[in-house]
Amino acid sequence: MMPEHPDPSEQHASRLLSRSPHPYHRQNSDLLDSSDHLAYKSSTTGERLDVPPAYSGTSREITPSDDSGTEADDEHFLKGLPAPRRLRKGLRGRNEVFSGTATPIPSPALDEEGPRFSHNLKKEANLGRIPRSLADRIRRGKETIRRSTELVIIAFLCALLYTNPQVQPILRRWDREICICIGVSATLVVLYPLRLIMWSYRRRTPSRKIPITIPTSFDPAPLFYPPTITLFVSLLLAVGNEVVLLPNMVLAVCSLPPSLIPAVSGNDQGCDPLHWILSCTPLFLRGPLKPDATSMVTLPLAISLEHATLLYPLHQNLCSVLHTLTATSLLTAELQLLSVALLNLLLLSSSPQAVILKSLLWVGGLDILVTCSQAIKCGVYLARVPKWRFKKKTNPSKPASNFFSGIMSWRRVRHDLFHAPVDSSSCSSCEAFDDAEDSDPPGSTVSGVPHRAKSMSDGGGSTGLEGLAPSTATVTYGVTANIVDAKPSLRRHTMLGVGHLPRKSYTHTPSGRRKRTASHSVRAFSSLTQEQAIARKWIYAAYVYICILGAIFLPLPFVGVRRVITDEALHGQDPVGWALGYLFGDLSRFRWEVISRNLEQWICLPPRSSGEIEHSQLVGWVDYVRQSYVGQGNTRLVLSAYFVSVIVVGLTVVFRLSPVYEVDTRRKVFHFMMVAMFLPATYIDPAFAALALSVVLALFLLLDLLRASQLPPLSKPLASFLEPYVDGRDLRGPVVISHIFLLVGCAIPLWLSLGSLPRTGIGYLEGWEVPTREVSMVSGVVCVGLGDAAASLIGRRYGRRKWLWGGGKSLEGSVAFAFAVFIGLTAARLWLRIGGWPATNGTQDTWSAALQKTGMCAATSSLTEAVLTGGNDNVIVPVVLWTCVKSLGV
């Protein structure tokens, strides 16, 4: 059900009706604390039916935007201000819930909703007497069609998996566990509206028998995508290793929205006992293994049942930590998928590339989180303090303070005892940190003198001093004389009194408005001078950089990234020496230097290729040339030089387009750079491409952490470089996600494909050779690099016909997306045939059948991109396309 918001206070109402614009009003300047949880707060009746309270800031009905980044040409004249509260897709027309604690699933609304505060109070007062308009019913119908289309896409993917000949044996062996997982999820979804009806009848007497209406802001993405994508990907990966299936069934149930689960206790601290029990049902009720199934005990990467039962609390706590780190940058579906992916990487990684990625993200990430979180938080707090609020420099002409003044300043004593100002020369920075009790009450006098002296014309020429005692009159006359000498009178025939110089208020502005008090995090640094603040920033930065270097090179097991990679991925070889041999091992001069200096124990040299390897033993003529004539190491050097040249050319084009074209056009240059780099190079050496993407992802995350920390010297240059290319999604939270999601969307299909393919290799290169290739390896590059770029460029310039459900997507853009994906997959298949690499499925379809399958994949991905609202299409759409390509065997 939709929440019944309480009536706001009069102060909040006056704030909303104020004519002063506050589009970027921030409710709290402090960082999010780890106590902010994803789960909903339980209702008083014991069932978790209320969504979290809506964000109290103002909302405005706007044209629905696109989280995919195709509406990226935002103006940058407000970039210096805090990030705006942008309404999320699927939540238009409502106040946005705060940060990632947003809906896992917005509840359908009851008809008898409580009053809500609106900008127009007159319309709000008459809202209950106005029947539902025809436009509202039409909009609900369009949203129904949109969500039904999403269900059709998911059902189509299920059908593709069910008809896949390699997945069918797995479905037969794990039919009981899969049915339990699907049955638990379906039962919770079916019981949810019944629970709403029961809740409504307990609280009031509804006017209809079924008092439920689905709001137009209803977005089922957190219900659709995390569980289904988890199951689909695990079924396709289980073809090569069935151990991944059972843990992902548990994670699929764990990723269900918490609002579907009836709360068994009044408190909600992150882990729901009933949800925990339901997530373990595939473990408790699993049947005996079929005769042709492989026992989990014999599998090398199997996790025990005891560890599998702990997946739910691990998943919930990981979501909480990720939400604290990313704040409002990730939607709920994205957060759930990220947690599931990280847990799979932690528990099920076996290949050297996956272990290296796990070491970079888990080991390095945890090291930095534990050692640097407090320093980074202090650096962010310190960066939020304006320069004018820092303490001014002390006057060097003043006498040096003695021992007693060092203990307690006399000005501080006067301030505490007599409420005197601490510094007579204070500026507005002092006012911001004084509390209400530090100022004098209204009507008080200054030094025992009345506030106002009468005019000379009052009371027949009375001066207003007759009624005073002689001493008082003398003091008053002296003060008045001094004031007249200091400042000329503003009115003629008037004796200026002390009342014309009221004491400056430390809590209110001259107009009577209460000043905004600074947060506790800002007050902690108010006693520093600007020079001390700069020095402290450099201290924080030095500490963070030292911790990062220690996390990488510290030779401790389970702590240092280098040590973990050595032990788990490289069979005891040092990563630096291994990398030198991996890249330069085929250079004659390098080999001579290594052998002559007796460095063979540190640097691994590959065996010399004799050039007489039989062609039949290789996977294609391209690989034959690579191994026999060019050399594997030299090939990687050529690919590295090619990558660098593409980056240099792309950046040159971007810089030349900056003063001419809009932001969206410049951003798409980076998409084409990814296509130019990885579409031809992935088939040549897929393991090297996966390793390069892993290292670059870790580097992107580290650089964005340094940028968000606002610590010198890298923070400002990074922010200045990224500023011209950010869009509304990047302003939604502290993480600039555009370039990270672009890289992740291109890399995930390649990583998943390598997880399902066999590996070869000898010596120190064991596990680094992939004998087969498949088109699904480059599906992410084709989807993000070609499809998304084509949809944005064509849709913005030629898009005239919108989809039935509205929004920012056009039919022309979707057609361009499908056509670009079709061309990209066809080119990938053509390059696969030209290179001579054998297909993974062992069968070669005719070109007519392959083109039909490619068209189905392109249409499905384009339709998914058009209807998707609750997730970033640079992540979800590539996974959907990979599922289609892998299931159809393109």
Side-chain angles (χ1 to χ4, degrees), residues 26 341 451 476 512 562 584 731 852:
R26 186 178 294 273
H451 276 286
T476 306
R562 182 177 178 179
F584 305 100
L731 297 178
Q852 292 178 5

Side-chain angles (χ1 to χ4, degrees), residues 543-835:
Y543 173 78
V544 170
Y545 295 142
I546 291 174
C547 290
I548 292 174
L549 293 177
I552 297 175
F553 298 104
L554 198 64
L556 294 178
F558 308 106
V559 175
V561 175
R562 182 177 178 179
R563 178 64 181 274
V564 174
I565 293 176
T566 300
D567 296 339
E568 300 184 13
L570 302 181
H571 309 289
Q573 298 292 334
D574 182 72
V576 177
W578 181 92
L580 292 175
Y582 186 68
L583 292 175
F584 305 100
D586 288 329
L587 296 177
S588 301
R589 180 66 180 176
F590 180 81
R591 296 176 68 93
W592 169 257
E593 292 293 337
V594 170
I595 296 174
S596 62
R597 298 177 186 272
N598 198 18
L599 298 177
E600 294 177 285
Q601 297 296 327
W602 178 48
I603 299 177
C604 302
L605 296 178
R608 273 290 193 179
S609 57
S610 60
E612 299 178 355
I613 304 177
E614 296 183 5
H615 188 277
S616 59
Q617 296 178 356
L618 303 176
V619 294
W621 69 268
V622 175
D623 199 73
Y624 173 75
V625 173
R626 180 176 72 96
Q627 294 191 27
S628 301
Y629 298 101
V630 180
Q632 299 181 11
N634 293 336
T635 304
R636 299 182 190 106
L637 285 178
V638 172
L639 291 178
S640 301
Y642 173 70
F643 292 161
V644 173
S645 63
V646 171
I647 293 174
V648 171
V649 172
L651 291 179
T652 304
V653 173
V654 169
F655 293 151
R656 288 182 177 273
L657 295 179
S658 296
V660 180
Y661 291 91
E662 59 185 6
V663 177
D664 183 66
T665 303
R666 286 179 275 145
R667 286 162 52 94
K668 299 312 170 187
V669 175
F670 295 102
H671 290 241
F672 293 127
M673 288 168 56
M674 297 297 292
V675 175
M677 284 190 294
F678 291 101
L679 186 58
T682 299
Y683 287 157
I684 297 177
D685 197 340
F688 176 70
L691 177 63
L693 290 171
S694 301
V695 174
V696 173
L697 176 61
L699 183 61
F700 277 3
L701 294 176
L702 181 60
L703 292 178
D704 199 71
L705 174 65
L706 297 177
R707 179 204 58 82
S709 65
Q710 305 186 41
L711 295 176
L714 297 178
S715 176
K716 288 186 178 180
L718 290 173
S720 301
F721 177 78
L722 293 176
E723 181 181 359
Y725 313 107
V726 298
D727 64 349
R729 295 175 304 166
D730 301 320
L731 297 178
R732 191 174 57 194
V735 183
V736 179
I737 61 177
S738 295
H739 61 292
I740 297 176
F741 278 177
L742 171 63
L743 180 66
V744 169
C746 296
I748 283 181
L750 176 59
W751 293 337
L752 294 178
S753 297
L754 291 179
S756 61
L757 297 179
R759 304 296 183 90
T760 58
I762 57 175
Y764 78 100
L765 292 178
E766 181 181 357
W768 289 88
E769 290 295 328
V770 183
T772 57
R773 309 289 191 270
E774 59 184 14
V775 179
S776 62
M777 287 181 173
V778 296
S779 58
V781 177
V782 170
C783 180
V784 177
L786 291 179
D788 186 76
S792 177
L793 297 177
I794 301 300
R796 283 182 175 273
R797 288 156 179 79
Y798 306 103
R800 299 294 182 268
R801 301 173 181 83
K802 300 296 182 181
W803 282 91
L804 176 63
W805 44 80
K809 304 296 179 64
S810 63
L811 291 173
E812 291 83 357
S814 298
V815 172
F817 186 99
F819 181 76
V821 171
F822 178 82
I823 295 298
L825 293 179
T826 304
R829 189 175 188 276
L830 181 62
W831 172 229
L832 186 65
R833 295 290 298 272
I834 293 176

Side-chain angles (χ1 to χ4, degrees), residues 135-155:
D136 184 54
R137 292 196 297 268
I138 294 176
R139 187 171 61 174
R140 289 177 182 274
K142 292 180 179 179
E143 286 297 322
T144 303
I145 296 175
R146 185 176 198 164
R147 305 310 171 191
S148 302
T149 305
E150 288 186 277
L151 280 176
V152 170
I153 293 174
I154 294 175

